Amino acid sequence: MSDQRPIDRLISVMANLRDPERGCPWDVKQDFSSIAPYTIEEAYEVADAIERADLEDLREELGDLLLQVVFHARMAEEAGAFAFDDVADAIVDKMVRRHPHVFGDGTAADPAAVKVRWDEIKAEEKARRREKRLRQGLPADPGLLADVPRSFPGLLQAFKMQEKAAKVGFDWPDVSGAVDKLKEEIVEVEAEIAADDRERLAGEIGDALFAMVNVARKSGIDPDAALRRTNEKFRRRFEAVEHGLSEGGRSMKDATLDEMEALWQAAKSREGALGSD
């Protein structure tokens, strides 16, 4: 049995997989862009295991996610940019810096105070990055929304951009303004459906979704969590329709819409009786 630490073994395994001569052809071929979708997928699978309260799956999915970090770090090391240790050192330094109430002489009476100090420290870090960019001849300020990744899922990206805009006062005073905007966007969606202009319709649907995220945010609701909750509800009821038809020796292809709707409503009623959505 190896006396290496598990993380060192993992780093060594990845180095072997990426070896140009003796490594795996698939792993050698990859780059940051080709691996990025897998990284996102693994993060979602971690979240799914947590939501299902499956700790055995969570252990495995966390390992898969860690592999993604090691994979990216290895490619960066090959490019002469940084290695895994640099990644670990950077996050350790950041956590120590942002928790002066734990690692220094700072104080924090409650989670709200921690959040205030965290934001202050982030602002200080941003100012230092700005100075560094100026010294490097780069644009001083990439903009308020620059650190909202374009690779975020659409709902999350909209939510984060709206949050940042709200912090500088670019926001509806209350939720009623956001609701009015949503109603306006739905009218425009209906108009483009009637006009049968798919390009403009796509734009208006995007505007309506963005407005819906605003309503959720102003109401203190996580839009992604809300949508996932509805997705799960649809999954349950659709599977109930499938099961109901199967019990009668039918398939969904053989059933009428009215038959499927009746089974859907029955599933909905059962959930209502149990106190579900």
Side-chain angles (χ1 to χ4, degrees):
M1 185 173 179
S2 173
D3 57 359
Q4 278 187 306
R5 295 182 307 158
I7 187 61
D8 292 327
R9 290 175 58 203
L10 178 57
I11 292 169
S12 177
V13 165
M14 180 52 64
N16 287 330
L17 289 172
R18 289 281 297 178
D19 186 284
E21 296 180 1
R22 301 184 303 279
C24 169
W26 187 90
D27 290 278
V28 171
K29 183 181 178 181
Q30 304 311 308
D31 57 27
F32 294 115
S33 296
S34 67
I35 289 299
Y38 295 101
T39 309
I40 295 169
E41 180 181 326
E42 296 300 350
Y44 274 116
E45 290 182 1
V46 165
D48 179 66
I50 292 170
E51 190 166 325
R52 291 184 286 106
D54 189 328
L55 293 182
E56 181 61 26
D57 268 8
L58 179 59
R59 178 186 63 81
E60 182 173 343
E61 297 302 345
L62 285 171
D64 291 344
L65 184 58
L66 178 58
L67 175 66
Q68 296 299 307
V69 176
V70 171
F71 207 143
H72 285 287
R74 177 62 196 180
M75 291 186 290
E77 184 175 3
E78 292 166 359
F82 57 83
F84 180 85
D85 283 353
D86 300 307
V87 175
D89 283 340
I91 191 60
V92 167
D93 290 345
K94 181 186 291 186
M95 289 299 98
V96 170
R97 189 168 61 246
R98 292 188 182 179
H99 292 83
H101 54 289
V102 176
F103 302 104
D105 56 5
T107 60
D110 52 43
V114 172
K115 180 66 166 61
V116 169
R117 185 59 184 134
W118 179 281
D119 288 340
E120 290 173 350
I121 294 170
K122 281 185 67 176
E124 293 165 4
E125 292 171 353
K126 188 172 183 179
R128 287 195 292 271
R129 284 197 300 271
R130 183 177 186 275
E131 293 174 1
K132 183 177 180 181
R133 291 175 65 86
L134 284 171
R135 289 196 301 270
Q136 294 174 337
L138 299 171
D141 190 353
L144 186 66
L145 304 181
D147 58 351
V148 178
R150 286 179 167 82
S151 59
F152 270 4
L155 284 180
L156 179 59
Q157 189 176 161
F159 188 85
K160 291 296 186 182
M161 289 195 298
Q162 290 171 10
E163 271 192 329
K164 286 186 173 293
K167 286 182 178 179
V168 294
F170 192 73
D171 195 14
W172 300 107
D174 54 50
V175 71
S176 64
V179 170
D180 289 343
K181 182 62 177 176
L182 174 61
K183 292 176 180 177
E184 175 188 321
E185 296 298 349
I186 290 174
V187 170
E188 293 178 2
V189 167
E190 292 173 335
E192 295 307 333
I193 290 174
D196 196 25
D197 187 327
R198 291 181 61 82
E199 184 65 27
R200 291 180 63 87
L201 175 59
E204 296 300 344
I205 288 175
D207 291 346
L209 288 169
F210 192 87
M212 187 71 253
V213 171
N214 233 342
V215 172
R217 181 183 60 83
K218 295 293 290 183
S219 303
I221 302 296
D222 180 337
D224 186 67
L227 180 57
R228 285 189 286 111
R229 181 175 176 177
T230 294
N231 289 344
E232 190 58 34
K233 180 166 56 179
F234 181 88
R235 185 192 300 271
R236 287 195 312 268
R237 294 177 184 174
F238 190 84
E239 289 173 348
V241 172
E242 286 182 307
H243 182 68
L245 289 169
S246 178
E247 282 188 325
R250 311 277 306 284
S251 72
M252 298 197 77
K253 289 189 295 184
D254 302 326
T256 66
L257 180 57
D258 287 342
E259 288 175 313
M260 289 188 284
E261 176 64 19
L263 288 165
W264 177 278
Q265 292 299 330
K268 183 177 179 180
S269 296
R270 286 194 298 273
E271 290 182 1
L274 294 171
S276 298
D277 294 332

